[in-house]
């Protein structure tokens, strides 16, 4: 408290002392020359002069500084000037110093955030442009070739129209994925929660992708035999989409003759964790933090030999987070990768509907 008092009134005290001493000396000399020197008059005069100077100096300096600081607040919008009061402003300028430092820190953080967002926006727009222009130019090329006269040859016409159709399908695939991510981010895509057997759903995903995996001689398997169902509560269709994207991803970048293995483990009382593990190429450490970004590809060459929209992992992340769950990734380059996500565990099997019971 004493320190605060000293800091607040140091300037006024010192200034008042200097003025009082000066006035006292002048008064003493005047009284000495007029042969009417009275010591107590000098003491009383000095006391009155000191108090008067102290209050005038303190009040005027505070008002002077306050008005100018308020103008600074209003001009550069440091903060709302309504929050500033004269008692906050002292002659040592501590309040202004703290506010300016806070303002500088906030602005520095804001600028850095804007730079990151701008870099991400530029990269995202470049990726979208690259992903869309490839099938667009392909379709355009085939159509222009047909218009130049190739349509007269039935064999060429059929082949080119088939390829143009595939290009259009890829465009539709990319647009649908972008639309889904947008809906997930804005909350427009509503989840339909139900209780289902996770083991059965994984097996269904294996059955759907068995032929795709067999082309690379990759085995889709569980880590063990699950004799009992594992009931979870989530949007079944979206969870299957998550599983499909993760399995397809492991097949794309898996080694020929490799394995994609899925395990289901109890995490806590009401949670299970599903792990999708492969022994494929693996991911370099510096690429892991950006895996779930839209259109981000580990392959910097821009190769599209594996197909896909480049949005699969981004969709996976958004679906899992829409459920209020977490997704994790661990990978060792050249060894393999593991993607895992949590799901809410259901304590009981779903009750059959009335129609099913009657049947």
């Amino acid at each position: 408290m004493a320190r605060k008092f000293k800091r607040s009134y140091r300037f006024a005290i010192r200034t008042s002392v200097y003025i009082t001493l000066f006035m006292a000396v002048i008064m003493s000399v005047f009284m000495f020359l007029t042969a009417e020197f009275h010591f107590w008059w000098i003491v009383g005069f000095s006391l009155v002069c000191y108090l008067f100077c102290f209050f005038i100096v303190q009040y005027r300096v505070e008002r002077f500084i306050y008005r100018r600081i308020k103008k600074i607040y209003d001009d550069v919008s440091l903060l709302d000037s309504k929050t500033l009061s004269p008692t906050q402003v002292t002659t040592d300028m501590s309040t202004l110093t703290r506010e300016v430092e806070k303002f500088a820190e906030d602005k520095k953080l804001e600028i850095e955030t804007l730079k990151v967002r701008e870099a991400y926006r530029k990269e995202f727009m470049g990726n979208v442009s690259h992903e869309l222009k490839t099938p667009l130019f392909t379709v355009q090329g085939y159509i222009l070739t047909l218009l130049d006269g190739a349509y007269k040859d039935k064999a060429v016409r059929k082949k080119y129209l088939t390829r143009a159709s595939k290009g259009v399908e890829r465009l539709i695939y990319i647009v649908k994925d972008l639309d889904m991510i947008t809906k997930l981010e804005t909350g427009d895509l509503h989840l339909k929660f139900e209780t289902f057997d996770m083991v059965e759903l994984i097996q269904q995903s294996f059955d759907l992708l068995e032929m795709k995996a067999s082309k690379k001689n990759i085995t889709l398997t569980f880590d063990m035999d699950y004799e009992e169902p594992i009931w979870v509560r989530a949007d079944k269709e979206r969870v299957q989409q998550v599983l499909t994207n993760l399995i397809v991803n492991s097949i794309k970048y898996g080694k020929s003759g490799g394995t994609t293995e899925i395990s289901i483990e109890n995490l806590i009382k009401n949670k299970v964790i599903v792990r999708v593990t492969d022994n494929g190429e693996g991911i370099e450490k510096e690429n892991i933090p950006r895996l779930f970004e839209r259109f981000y590809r580990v392959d910097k060459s821009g190769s599209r030999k594996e197909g896909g929209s480049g949005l699969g992992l981004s969709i996976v992340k958004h679906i899992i987070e829409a459920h209020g769950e977490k997704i994790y990734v661990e990978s060792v380059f050249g060894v393999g990768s593991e993607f895992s996500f949590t799901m809410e565990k259901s304590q009981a099997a779903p009750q059959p509907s009335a129609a099913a019971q009657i049947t």
Side-chain angles (χ1 to χ4, degrees), residues 201-235:
L201 187 65
I202 294 172
Q203 186 59 59
Q204 290 175 4
S205 300
F206 281 167
D207 295 340
L208 288 171
L209 299 170
E210 185 178 5
M211 291 184 63
K212 187 178 185 69
S214 64
K215 291 180 181 179
K216 293 187 69 172
N217 195 26
I218 291 177
T219 304
L220 305 178
T221 182
F222 286 99
D223 66 319
M224 57 179 283
D225 291 331
Y226 291 91
E227 298 179 356
E228 298 292 332
I230 298 176
W231 303 106
V232 298
R233 180 166 177 76
D235 187 317

Side-chain angles (χ1 to χ4, degrees), residues 53-298:
C53 290
F54 175 80
F55 287 111
I56 291 297
V57 170
Q58 180 67 17
Y59 173 76
R60 290 299 301 162
V61 169
E62 281 192 352
R63 291 296 301 170
F64 175 81
I65 295 175
Y66 171 72
R67 284 197 300 269
R68 276 148 185 78
I69 291 178
K70 187 176 183 302
K71 187 176 187 303
I72 293 174
Y73 275 49
D74 293 337
D75 290 345
V76 301
S77 301
L78 282 172
L79 43 75
D80 187 359
S81 60
K82 293 179 181 179
T83 64
L84 182 68
S85 64
T87 57
Q88 289 179 300
V89 183
T90 59
T91 54
D92 60 6
M93 305 293 284
S94 60
T95 300
L96 180 60
T97 301
R98 287 194 302 270
E99 295 297 337
V100 170
E101 288 175 352
K102 183 178 180 298
F103 171 77
E105 290 175 1
D106 291 344
K107 287 300 178 183
K108 182 179 179 181
L109 180 61
E110 183 180 344
I111 291 171
E112 290 175 353
T113 303
L114 289 173
K115 285 181 178 179
V116 171
R117 290 181 178 178
E118 178 64 14
Y120 176 78
R121 185 191 66 81
K122 288 180 179 179
E123 185 176 357
F124 173 70
M125 293 303 295
N127 287 331
V128 171
S129 175
H130 185 85
E131 293 290 342
L132 293 178
K133 75 180 181 181
T134 302
L136 275 173
F137 289 165
T138 300
V139 173
Q140 184 186 42
Y142 288 131
I143 292 175
L144 289 175
T145 303
L146 290 171
L147 290 174
D148 286 340
Y151 70 91
K152 296 177 182 179
D153 187 326
K154 291 183 178 180
V156 172
R157 180 174 61 198
K158 183 177 180 180
K159 182 174 69 174
Y160 279 20
L161 286 174
T162 301
R163 292 179 179 178
S165 177
K166 289 182 179 179
V168 173
E169 287 177 1
R170 177 167 171 75
L171 282 171
I172 294 172
Y173 184 53
I174 294 172
V175 171
K176 281 184 176 180
D177 281 354
L178 280 171
D179 183 57
M180 177 175 291
I181 289 178
T182 303
K183 287 181 177 179
L184 285 166
E185 287 180 340
T186 57
D188 291 339
L189 188 65
H190 301 289
L191 301 176
K192 299 176 182 178
F193 284 85
E194 59 180 301
T195 300
F196 59 90
D197 180 11
M198 179 62 80
V199 177
E200 181 184 359
L201 187 65
I202 294 172
Q203 186 59 59
Q204 290 175 4
S205 300
F206 281 167
D207 295 340
L208 288 171
L209 299 170
E210 185 178 5
M211 291 184 63
K212 187 178 185 69
S214 64
K215 291 180 181 179
K216 293 187 69 172
N217 195 26
I218 291 177
T219 304
L220 305 178
T221 182
F222 286 99
D223 66 319
M224 57 179 283
D225 291 331
Y226 291 91
E227 298 179 356
E228 298 292 332
I230 298 176
W231 303 106
V232 298
R233 180 166 177 76
D235 187 317
K236 186 176 180 179
E237 182 181 348
R238 299 305 171 195
V239 174
Q240 184 168 36
Q241 188 175 6
V242 168
L243 289 168
T244 300
N245 284 347
L246 292 179
I247 296 171
V248 167
N249 200 60
S250 71
I251 294 172
K252 283 181 182 179
Y253 302 104
K255 295 177 181 178
S256 180
T259 302
T260 295
E261 180 183 274
I262 296 185
S263 63
I264 311 170
E265 303 172 13
N266 288 320
L267 189 61
I268 55 177
K269 184 178 179 181
N270 65 330
K271 296 283 184 183
V272 295
I273 185 166
V274 180
R275 304 182 189 275
V276 181
T277 309
D278 64 64
N279 54 0
E281 299 175 2
I283 306 163
E284 293 178 331
K285 188 176 181 180
E286 60 268 22
N287 292 318
I288 292 178
R290 300 191 61 187
L291 279 179
F292 297 103
E293 290 182 12
R294 305 182 207 182
F295 297 114
Y296 182 77
R297 293 179 185 269
V298 175

